[in-house]
Amino acid sequence: MLEIGWLTWALTIGLIVALLAVDLVIAAVRPHRVGFGEATAWSVFYVLVAIGFGVWFASVHGGSFGAEYFAGYIVEKSLSVDNLFVFVIIMTTFAVPEEHQHKVLTFGIVLALVMRAIFIAVGATLLSLFSFMFLLFGLLLLFTAVQLFRHRDEDPDVENNVVVKVARRVLPVTDEYAGGKLLTRVDGRRVVTPLFVVLVAIGGVDLLFALDSIPAVFGVTEEAYIVFAANAFALLGLRALFFLVKGLLDRLVYLSAGLAVILAFIGVKLILHWAHVDLDDRVPEVPTSVSLGVILVILVIVVVASLIKTKGDPTAKAHPGSLRASASEPSESKPKN
């Protein structure tokens, strides 16, 4: 059992808040187009911070907990890349100017951290009280994996997202971005800008991803502190990673299928853990080291296979995948022209 004092929690949260504050200040004070060099520098910095934290954590609390942190971090980092696909779609759908994309991403990361912190607290409490929650989490991940694999070649329909549709219906929205403001005045009337609707869309996406990613990382570790740290450090680098790899995302054509396999694997791992605890202790469990190895192998295969595919077929394009068929897709029951 991992023992984490209030001071360690406070210092960890303080470090994360400080890093987020730097991002917010840069986005607010100096809105600009983020170039490749700047994105690379920030990406390397955040990866080094995450690795440094993991090394410190392993040295203080032991290699076993350190392995759980790194496994959780890799799971969340791989799932966060799928977030980037959806962020690109949202930015394109709403034609967000490049100088404001930095701000949108930073606010999106803040929303994601808040939502995931809530889910982590709820999930940790449920797991500590009811062991059958491991079964429910496992079944949820298996369902998500099947749906994601079935719709791996689709894009989520942002415009038909219920949250976005409600926001457009309820709130007066101007056509101009108004210098990156969330609220402005038109003819003396206070209205929201498209940037506000973009944040609403990203918030809705963050909620959906939290529903998947939190059970996934709990499949690697039961420790709430490790779950929180893995999520936080994976998300902190998301803003820089967006500007670094957004030109390469189209080439990761097998990423959604790979993530589906990873989610299915973790789902089975959770179900085996539940069976081991509640049914029969002879039911085998999957060690963290094996989980880490399987996840890394799947990711390597996905990246290599994707690059080979797109090299041989330049027209091949990656999609983030969806948990349900797009409303714009023709129904299979309808005749095709």
Side-chain angles (χ1 to χ4, degrees):
M1 182 69 178
L2 181 62
E3 297 291 338
I4 299 294
W6 67 268
L7 180 60
T8 302
W9 270 104
L11 290 175
T12 305
I13 294 173
L15 172 63
I16 292 164
V17 170
L19 291 171
L20 280 173
V22 170
D23 254 2
L24 285 171
V25 168
I26 292 175
V29 173
R30 194 169 65 91
H32 63 290
R33 181 183 182 277
V34 179
F36 181 82
E38 181 182 352
T40 301
W42 278 109
S43 295
V44 171
F45 169 74
Y46 281 120
V47 169
L48 290 177
V49 168
I51 292 174
F53 174 85
V55 171
W56 166 82
F57 184 72
S59 66
V60 173
H61 297 284
S64 177
F65 287 125
E68 290 183 9
Y69 162 77
F70 281 111
Y73 174 75
I74 292 171
V75 168
E76 292 304 313
K77 200 69 174 177
S78 60
L79 290 173
S80 71
V81 175
D82 215 33
N83 280 48
L84 294 182
F85 274 107
V86 183
F87 286 168
V88 169
I89 291 171
I90 292 175
M91 299 285 190
T92 303
T93 300
F94 293 97
V96 179
E98 287 190 340
E99 63 268 23
H100 301 317
Q101 291 181 5
H102 186 150
K103 180 187 295 184
V104 170
L105 288 168
T106 304
F107 274 106
I109 293 169
V110 172
L111 288 172
L113 279 172
V114 170
M115 290 180 183
R116 294 186 188 203
I118 295 171
F119 275 91
I120 289 168
V122 173
T125 302
L126 290 175
L127 289 175
S128 65
L129 295 176
F130 311 105
S131 59
F132 71 85
M133 290 303 301
F134 286 105
L135 173 62
L136 296 183
F137 278 3
L139 293 174
L140 173 63
L141 289 181
L142 286 177
F143 172 77
T144 301
V146 170
Q147 290 296 98
L148 181 60
F149 190 82
R150 288 180 60 197
H151 306 296
R152 60 190 180 279
D153 294 326
E154 297 179 22
D155 295 330
D157 195 344
V158 176
E159 285 288 4
N160 285 323
N161 181 283
V162 64
V163 178
V164 174
K165 291 173 73 174
V166 170
R168 285 191 180 279
R169 186 178 300 117
V170 173
L171 300 173
V173 184
T174 181
D175 294 329
E176 302 295 330
Y177 272 91
K181 298 178 181 178
L182 298 180
L183 300 173
T184 188
R185 286 188 178 275
V186 175
D187 297 329
R189 183 190 182 197
R190 185 173 292 276
V191 296
V192 301
T193 69
L195 196 62
F196 183 91
V197 180
V198 170
L199 292 182
V200 170
I202 286 183
V205 168
D206 286 337
L207 178 60
L208 291 176
F209 274 102
L211 288 171
D212 297 332
S213 65
I214 298 306
V217 75
F218 269 119
V220 175
T221 177
E222 299 176 37
E223 303 295 339
Y225 178 80
I226 297 178
V227 173
F228 175 77
N231 268 274
F233 286 111
L235 288 174
L236 281 175
L238 196 60
R239 188 268 313 171
L241 190 62
F242 171 85
F243 293 106
L244 180 63
V245 305
K246 66 177 181 178
L248 302 176
L249 287 176
D250 283 349
R251 301 186 65 188
L252 298 177
V253 293
Y254 295 125
L255 178 63
S256 293
L259 292 179
V261 174
I262 290 174
L263 291 177
F265 168 75
I266 299 175
V268 171
K269 183 178 187 293
L270 281 170
I271 293 173
L272 287 175
H273 177 73
W274 165 79
H276 178 86
V277 172
D278 280 12
L279 298 182
D280 191 336
D281 59 10
R282 290 174 296 180
V283 175
E285 291 194 275
V286 182
T288 301
S289 57
V290 174
S291 299
L292 182 57
V294 169
I295 293 166
L296 286 173
V297 168
I298 292 173
L299 290 175
V300 170
I301 292 174
V302 163
V303 173
V304 173
S306 295
L307 295 179
I308 292 174
K309 172 67 175 178
T310 53
K311 183 178 180 180
D313 182 9
T315 63
K317 181 180 178 182
H319 299 272
S322 178
L323 297 185
R324 61 186 180 87
S326 172
S328 60
E329 292 291 322
S331 173
E332 293 182 359
S333 61
K334 295 180 180 180
K336 297 180 180 180
N337 296 326

